[in-house]
Amino acid sequence: RQIQGGQYVINENKLSIEGYCSFLIKSYESRGKQLAYDIKQLEKLLMALKSHDACFIYSAENDRGEVLAANVVIQDRDRRYLQFLSQIKGKEGNSQSALVFYAINRAVESGRCFDFEGSMLPGICEFYASYNPEWETYHMVYGYSKRYRLLDALRTIGRG
C-alpha cells in the first residue's frame, strides 16, 4: 500500500526487515550513536512477528525515493503498538509525524486501538502528547521484598 500526499510518499511494508534494520543503523550513525542491542536479534524478532501478520513497517520517502523516516508497528488482537521510530538526522521535517498519523489511521481502519507505547524522554513525550492521546497509568516495580524472592525461589525449585 502506498499513499502520496503532501511532501512524502508513505509506504506500508515496502521496506524489508533487512532494509528497515539497515535504515535504523544509518539513523543512529547519523546522530553519532550506536544501537544498544544486537541487530540480528531485532531481525529475528521482526521476522517472527511478520510470520504471524503482527508487524508492519511504515516508511516515508521524499520525491527522489530517499527514505527519510521509518517505524515499526506491532499488533495483537486489540491494539497496534508504535515501536522503533527512526529518521535520519537533518532530514526530520515532519516525515515522522506523517508516518504516525498514517499508522493511527490504519489502526482505526483495522478496528484496533492505537498505542503510542509512551516515553518520558524529552522531545518524544511532547511529540506523542501533540496527538492528544488518552493517558494510561503504568506502575513500575523497582525492587522485590525478601518474601517475594523466597516465594519465587521456591516456585523455581518446584518447577525444576
Side-chain angles (χ1 to χ4, degrees):
R1 182 172 182 167
Q2 185 180 64
I3 304 292
Q4 188 161 0
Q7 54 192 357
Y8 307 107
V9 175
I10 305 295
N11 297 299
E12 184 174 319
N13 295 324
K14 178 181 177 186
L15 206 54
S16 67
I17 290 171
E18 296 80 12
Y20 173 77
C21 290
S22 293
F23 180 79
L24 182 63
I25 291 169
K26 185 178 170 183
S27 74
Y28 269 73
E29 289 173 348
S30 75
R31 289 173 167 69
K33 296 183 178 185
Q34 289 186 321
L35 288 174
Y37 46 88
D38 182 3
I39 199 70
K40 292 294 178 194
Q41 291 296 101
L42 177 60
E43 285 180 6
K44 285 172 60 176
L45 170 66
L46 296 178
M47 282 189 245
L49 290 165
K50 274 260 194 223
S51 72
H52 294 282
D53 295 321
C55 175
F56 303 91
I57 298 174
Y58 301 130
S59 58
E61 298 176 352
N62 61 17
D63 57 357
R64 295 182 304 281
E66 177 185 23
V67 176
L68 304 174
N71 63 42
V72 172
V73 174
I74 298 170
Q75 79 174 4
D76 63 20
R77 191 175 35 138
D78 302 316
R79 293 178 181 240
R80 286 196 177 181
Y81 304 89
L82 183 62
Q83 302 288 313
F84 308 114
L85 285 76
S86 55
Q87 59 191 52
I88 303 297
K89 183 177 181 179
K91 303 203 183 254
E92 286 87 355
N94 60 359
S95 56
Q96 194 57 257
S97 296
L99 282 180
V100 171
F101 183 73
Y102 179 78
I104 291 169
N105 285 316
R106 294 293 288 145
V108 170
E109 288 172 10
S110 73
R112 292 176 174 85
C113 291
F114 185 80
D115 193 324
F116 282 96
E117 283 289 296
S119 173
M120 295 309 294
L121 295 174
I124 296 173
C125 184
E126 288 83 5
F127 174 71
Y128 290 168
S130 71
Y131 287 91
N132 198 26
E134 183 178 309
W135 295 89
E136 292 181 5
T137 302
Y138 289 88
H139 300 282
M140 297 184 71
V141 176
Y142 290 100
Y144 301 102
S145 68
K146 289 180 183 177
R147 181 177 173 199
Y148 176 81
R149 281 184 270 182
L150 176 63
L151 289 172
D152 193 47
L154 290 173
R155 260 190 245 121
T156 303
I157 291 169
R159 282 188 230 132

